[in-house]
Amino acid sequence: MSKDKKATGDSLEGRDPELLRRIYEVMVLTRAVEDRMVAMYRGGDLLGSLYTGHWHEAISVGAASCLRPDDYLAPIHRDLGAHLWRGMEPWQVMASFMGKATSPTGGRDGTLHYGRLDLGIYNLPSHIPANFPVATGMAFAAKYRGEDKVCLAFCGDGSTSRADFHESLTIASVQKLPNVFVIENNQYAYSTPVRLTSHSDTFSAKAAAYGIPGVTVDGTDVLAVRDAVDEAVTRARAGDGPSIVEGVTMRMHGHAEHDPADYVVKELFEEYSKKDPVELFENVLRKAGLLDDDTARKVRDEARQSAIAARRKALADPMPEPGNIEEGVYAD
Amino acid sequence: MSKDKKATGDSLEGRDPELLRRIYEVMVLTRAVEDRMVAMYRGGDLLGSLYTGHWHEAISVGAASCLRPDDYLAPIHRDLGAHLWRGMEPWQVMASFMGKATSPTGGRDGTLHYGRLDLGIYNLPSHIPANFPVATGMAFAAKYRGEDKVCLAFCGDGSTSRADFHESLTIASVQKLPNVFVIENNQYAYSTPVRLTSHSDTFSAKAAAYGIPGVTVDGTDVLAVRDAVDEAVTRARAGDGPSIVEGVTMRMHGHAEHDPADYVVKELFEEYSKKDPVELFENVLRKAGLLDDDTARKVRDEARQSAIAARRKALADPMPEPGNIEEGVYAD
Amino acid sequence: MPTEAPPVPVLKSGPAQELSANPTYLEAVGAALDHEMERDPDVFILGEDVGQFGGAFKVTKGFLDKYGPRRVVDTPIAETGFTGLAAGASLVGLRPVVEFQFADFISCAFDPIINVLARHHWRTGDPMPVTMRAPFGGRLRAGPTHSQSVESYFAHVPGLKIVMPGTPEDAAGLLISSIRDDNPTLYLENKYLYRRLRATGPLSMEPIPLGVAKVVHEGRDVTLITYSAGVHQGVEIAQELAKEGISVEVVDVRTLVPLDVETIVNSVRKTSRAVVLHEAAKRLGYGAEIAATIQEEAFWHLDHPIVRIAAKNTPTATSPPLEDAIIPQPAEIAETLRKVARE
Amino acid sequence: MPTEAPPVPVLKSGPAQELSANPTYLEAVGAALDHEMERDPDVFILGEDVGQFGGAFKVTKGFLDKYGPRRVVDTPIAETGFTGLAAGASLVGLRPVVEFQFADFISCAFDPIINVLARHHWRTGDPMPVTMRAPFGGRLRAGPTHSQSVESYFAHVPGLKIVMPGTPEDAAGLLISSIRDDNPTLYLENKYLYRRLRATGPLSMEPIPLGVAKVVHEGRDVTLITYSAGVHQGVEIAQELAKEGISVEVVDVRTLVPLDVETIVNSVRKTSRAVVLHEAAKRLGYGAEIAATIQEEAFWHLDHPIVRIAAKNTPTATSPPLEDAIIPQPAEIAETLRKVARE
Ligand SMILES: Cc1ncc(C[n+]2csc(CCOP(=O)(O)OP(=O)(O)O)c2C)c(N)n1
Ligand SMILES: Cc1ncc(C[n+]2csc(CCOP(=O)(O)OP(=O)(O)O)c2C)c(N)n1
Ligand SMILES: [Mg+2]
Ligand SMILES: [Mg+2]
């Protein structure tokens, strides 16, 4: 699958060093929280399975970093980085995978269903990509009210074959809605390789069906993702309608942690093991003199400590009481 | 909307004159039957509304003429011509719109739902384009059995926005199924103009999303349609997978006969009133010396007489008896 | 994160449609929608052909002129997509009204209705005020995929409200309540009644609360529990049977979810006999829920098994003799009531 | 226009999966499917990850090796599309078996199931032999969109058969009948039972007819009508209650459509008391249909109102204390049976 844009990062001129460091920190935190959660899964802390976003950090954080706080976000299951960027607490995420009373849904929903509307994040059901039509609605509301907000939505390569993808893209393009649709092409949909999901040259090539811009970037290169999404966000904010950005990466774990992923072509794992997006970005920052050993160590340590503290809190948090279980089916 | 292929017909060299005349005859018959049915609608012969295919004859007949009798057909609501090509009787069509016992569904279904599997024609429900997934299944079965049959399916411009369109095209392209998908772009979906249905340059441009060939032709030029569909059929039969062919025409009547279509841009009606596909093809045949005044008159007369006779039979046919109404919900 | 909406210009003053003196069921729906759009700038309508065309049945005729394309949105044929769009818009403060061209096509939005709209509030606490309007039902010779009664597809699923008015007066008041309700609401319009049923006078634009049934005809001998087109049918038959000395109480449940069990059970306690009537197929039609509930709540008062009158367990046929044999006819309803009252 | 199929090579002989001596419910489904694919070259399986991965729950493990990618088809995530594909393939002579990864996702195929598959035979006379398999149900802490009981979404719609085995033996025999049936059949696998329930011995591959209920535990005092996971629960509780002197007859309906009303009613005529149990939400759960039918058919034999035990009218929660409060628990079932038997 060709990449329209090459990895950037040779020069960081004109970029805000604060912002770059913040992106780095959230990427590191994302990785630390997920590594911790993998251990928690293995140790039996979690209720069910665990979906992780290893090697998706550049896409989730890079894309989310293009938003204003008042923009809307409609992430999918490998986008912890986007949640953390917006202020989701790691312990809340863990609490969700544990069914704790303190999870954003109070234990009613669980696993990856922890989106918080107070952070402008839609909490999607399991059906993929149900977040896409909802994202068009959030964008529609912004346009309806004359606000210049945008809505950023993510889905996987496998999700592109569904009704929700096509009907949302159709509506968003016809209505020129301020949407940005990011496709996380991680080579597989559960066990299904991309060639059994789609016959188009790239996933961004599907943009032609909607008469909108589509671009494919190296999804392990956070600055490449950021630049492409930034352009799309700017376009959407200006009232010029939606775009597709495809980030190519690899799902380095199983579909979820129960899955050994033994169906994956070995070469892919090997190829991508050299392309850890967190490491890649760390090297870029180092080369540009924006990060030294000490700071890097500090950032990683702090992230690890956050993850440990989050686990401690989530473990200690209570399970919900069933008392009110029939309440809240309807809003009054 | 650009047309990739120009109207052909300047030279008829290398074409089978028999076949050309047969195409002409079925186009004329289609028009005659539908004209008759419009009168029947106005005269109160029919139960409900009437969907017609005026100006779609070149697409429906031209495309159907590319099939072998053992191929499969999955038409939609303006494709009377394709049905007639395969041997559907005009009186059966009328009987369907009248709820007669002699309609292909015995009056259980009605209006345009008269497809006959014994002619290899799928009888679709109202939901558009439900015939598309079914068409992939018929093509799948052919491939499964190692047969070189193809399945030709039609839908309108408006139908392309639906789940069924996208999911079928996705599956057919990935599985390289022997399908041909014809899009009848008649400028409107009910009252909705094409610009509110799709933002792509053409409808055939959507082929890029599926990595398959897509071509747009003048849908009033039966030879242009035939050539494009023929190429697609040949490709499908050879095992090279599906294609999209878009035929551009105009819906010259209302969505159905109850609809005055006063929302249509006047210029479109004017432009297309000069492009009657039946007349255009008649002129081509005359110019090529394949049709003279006498024959043309004879073909039209016979078609009119067929339509009159069909109405007479359909009118005289009995209504169904409800006796067995709960039978046949399940096959034994 | 809803924010304050900017003032929304109304392009044309006065009603979107002129009402007749005794407005039809159809006019009632349109007038109530017009009323709410005028009252609340966050209310908008979307669906296929709702704009210039005014909708397949003309409920929104004149709306485009009055409110403009921003609030009267012609969508592509994409029921999944535009229902999900409505969900998203409602989540950030708008109050979308979705029109399905025929209720039959709501099948194409089943997934978002069940999995996005119905469950969202319970999962998250966020309200999702979407009203879904759909013309349903038979007797128009429209066949198996243009005549469906769809309430059973949805009544099982927690989190939706289901509203099925049987009169123009209720059509107006219940639509207003549906739109103001903070929950996803399925509002089903009986399209056979659209132009056949008229209000007795000018319409009130007072909301009618959801979840309150109405005794529309008082009686002693047997209770007929029904909704939508069953209501006027039931009352007409009750008036006929009164002449034979059979006193039928007709209860219009008006909303299936929430269901006003109290009013139903009170009536059955009084009459000791109950018949349920609807146009949907019998198997797992809503009559099953009503019957099961009545025998749970009033078993010892019952002098007769509860009888369900419903369509046969077949699709709805096109041809008149077939359709009439499938959908309950007045004679069958009257005969059943006679039998249950007297047996 | 079905034509003769060319001979289909089986790539590997022997069973696709080795069975244990007491096969699990999961193994029973796989073995029956294997049996039918071996027997009939027109049978094939399609769905997400059914190939190399062997399906999310491993029902089709080993099938790709045995039958090849022609007959074990990994589809894109396109439930509408592949369900419609199955319909089309069945129309011209194949016998597709569709696997939905979780029953929750069948919502995405609701439209073709309702409007293409269920109605086709009645409309046209053409058979449409599609079997749809879907793992459903709760108790796995999988939350509101991975735990749904979906039978009520479909039971109202004429033209589908609905099969819900409660034992490994029935899982095998009923799947075989579903595949051989000329109608679209929804075959729902209780995923909680997959690895928890074992057959008492080797499995028979004899088809078990659809529409025949089974008295799985005889009793005198009260009839428990149930299906799927309710069956083993019901029998266990019946055995417990026997020690208290309460004699419970447990009827496993096995197929919801067609429903074996006779067996149910005969049992209730004998016991005069009926309780219906299922894991789906109560409102318009299939228990409503069963209860409404029993009181229609056996009203004068009833000594007690029919009681429905079902999940609460909420989505299914993830967190154990919440999920347990929603889905019927053994203690509640036992207590209800005691009450109904003694009152
Ligand atoms: C409608 C629907 N069908 C099936 C599933 C089950 N499922 C969950 S994730 C997944 C694979 C998704 O693949 P992709 O979109 O590529 O995302 P990835 O997991 O690779 O990030 C599947 C099949 C689902 N969630 N929703
Ligand atoms: C799923 C679905 N939604 C809505 C409709 C109602 N409907 C029938 S035909 C039609 C317009 C179709 O437009 P197009 O596909 O362009 O075909 P045309 O009628 O123009 O030939 C609509 C909206 C339908 N049949 N199915
Ligand atoms: Mg993927
Ligand atoms: Mg059109």
Side-chain angles (χ1 to χ4, degrees), chain B residues 77-78 126 128 156-159 186 188-189 255, chain C residues 48 79 101 105:
Chain B
H77 52 287
R78 305 204 191 277
S126 300
I128 54 172
D157 45 281
S159 315
N186 61 7
Y188 285 86
H255 171 62
Chain C
E48 292 151 18
E79 285 84 359
Q101 197 157 77
F105 305 136

Side-chain angles (χ1 to χ4, degrees), chain C residues 71-139:
Chain C
R71 296 182 67 195
V72 183
V73 183
D74 272 327
T75 63
I77 307 171
E79 285 84 359
T80 292
F82 64 67
T83 304
L85 184 151
S90 77
L91 211 48
V92 293
L94 300 187
R95 292 193 168 269
V97 179
V98 177
E99 174 173 306
F100 292 95
Q101 197 157 77
F102 283 75
D104 305 72
F105 305 136
I106 205 168
S107 54
C108 302
F110 185 76
D111 173 50
I113 295 173
I114 295 299
N115 291 305
V116 173
L117 282 93
R119 285 167 222 274
H120 192 80
H121 180 69
W122 186 83
R123 296 197 302 124
T124 64
D126 314 325
M128 210 170 240
V130 175
T131 302
M132 294 169 281
R133 297 180 34 240
F136 82 97
R139 295 191 284 169

